Amino acid sequence: DAKTTQPTSMDCAEGRAANLPCNHSTISGNEYVYWYRQIHSQGPQYIIHGLKNNETNEMASLIITEDRKSSTLILPHATLRDTAVYYCIVRVGNAGNMLTFGGGTRLMVKP
Amino acid sequence: SAVISQKPSRDICQRGTSLTIQCQVDSQVTMMFWYRQQPGQSLTLIATANQGSEATYESGFVIDKFPISRPNLTFSTLTVSNMSPEDSSIYLCSVEVLAGVEQFFGPGTRLTVL
């Protein structure tokens, strides 16, 4: 699976949009981009995933560049409960394969 | 979605002993995985628990140290054998549901080895 690069940490003001970047320059055509987050002392939580089109759900939006070498997770109105470590993962295929976790981005939402 | 429970939620053990962690899912799932998260670190996959056959281990993990069972489509166990303080970690079970692409994670088992 392709390796991802994320900033170690980011801050965001409560109520503002949080934009979390991820580089995956070696991604191949059959690899999807997944985002998970881990709130302290809990198991990781699925947020969103995509292949090449932008995706949106009730939690977040995923913007993937046209060359698919990078993506951005957007939390439109961050709350204090969004403070967590956010993991960007690329995975072969659509199901049945392991997730390879990198270091992630520690997002701190501040009042 | 899937609701996953793990037992125990935490334990403190003596070195040289073994601990078996249980993972129970509320629905049948195709894939079950076991991860380890050492203090301050990211998650590392230990193995894929295969129903009716031996687990598939990742590099650096062996069956003698981490035996795994998966007797059916809703249950799996991970045993941490002959424990040392270096085994102190959070151990997480995850599952992939029959028709989905998301992996759902259990709450984890926090293990401390003295």
Side-chain angles (χ1 to χ4, degrees):
Chain A
D1 289 346
K3 184 175 179 179
T4 61
T5 304
Q6 298 177 252
T8 304
S9 64
M10 291 180 63
D11 290 343
C12 178
E14 186 179 20
R16 303 297 294 271
N19 298 288
L20 291 91
C22 179
N23 287 321
H24 31 79
S25 58
T26 59
I27 193 170
S28 58
N30 64 345
E31 288 182 314
Y32 286 69
V33 180
Y34 283 76
W35 284 83
Y36 281 76
R37 73 179 182 183
Q38 187 174 26
I39 297 171
H40 183 62
S41 297
Q42 298 181 21
Q45 176 190 21
Y46 166 84
I47 301 173
I48 199 168
H49 77 282
L51 181 62
K52 54 182 178 181
N53 297 323
N54 298 337
E55 303 287 345
T56 295
N57 63 21
E58 65 279 3
M59 289 183 68
S61 295
L62 173 61
I63 308 299
I64 303 174
T65 58
E66 192 169 341
D67 64 6
R68 302 209 323 124
K69 292 185 177 182
S70 65
S71 60
T72 301
L73 178 75
I74 302 172
L75 308 178
H77 305 287
T79 71
L80 299 179
R81 289 177 294 181
D82 292 320
T83 293
V85 178
Y86 287 77
Y87 295 100
C88 169
I89 300 166
V90 292
R91 187 177 82 161
V92 172
N94 209 18
N97 292 303
M98 57 179 271
L99 296 171
T100 302
F101 286 81
T105 296
R106 184 172 299 276
L107 175 68
M108 179 74 70
V109 180
K110 297 183 175 181
Chain B
S1 66
V3 177
I4 305 166
S5 60
Q6 287 186 231
K7 290 181 181 180
S9 58
R10 59 178 61 227
D11 208 342
I12 300 173
C13 301
Q14 297 296 320
R15 70 168 65 217
T17 63
S18 298
L19 176 72
T20 296
I21 302 167
Q22 299 179 3
C23 175
Q24 179 73 55
V25 193
D26 68 341
S27 58
Q28 292 186 339
V29 296
T30 52
M31 308 291 289
M32 295 183 77
F33 305 91
W34 285 97
Y35 289 80
R36 179 176 74 179
Q37 187 170 29
Q38 295 177 299
Q41 302 296 313
S42 185
L43 284 78
T44 301
L45 181 67
I46 298 172
T48 302
N50 301 309
Q51 195 265 327
S53 65
E54 198 169 278
T56 305
Y57 289 84
E58 296 302 305
S59 176
F61 298 96
V62 295
I63 188 172
D64 290 347
K65 176 67 176 178
F66 298 101
I68 288 170
S69 78
R70 189 178 171 191
N72 56 51
L73 292 175
T74 64
F75 185 78
S76 177
T77 67
L78 168 75
T79 299
V80 186
S81 303
N82 188 24
M83 288 183 286
S84 66
E86 291 70 35
D87 294 319
S88 297
S89 296
I90 299 173
Y91 292 86
L92 296 119
C93 167
S94 79
V95 304
E96 195 163 288
V97 300
L98 285 171
V101 300
E102 307 165 25
Q103 280 191 20
F104 298 92
F105 284 80
T109 296
R110 183 178 294 271
L111 171 62
T112 301
V113 184
L114 302 178

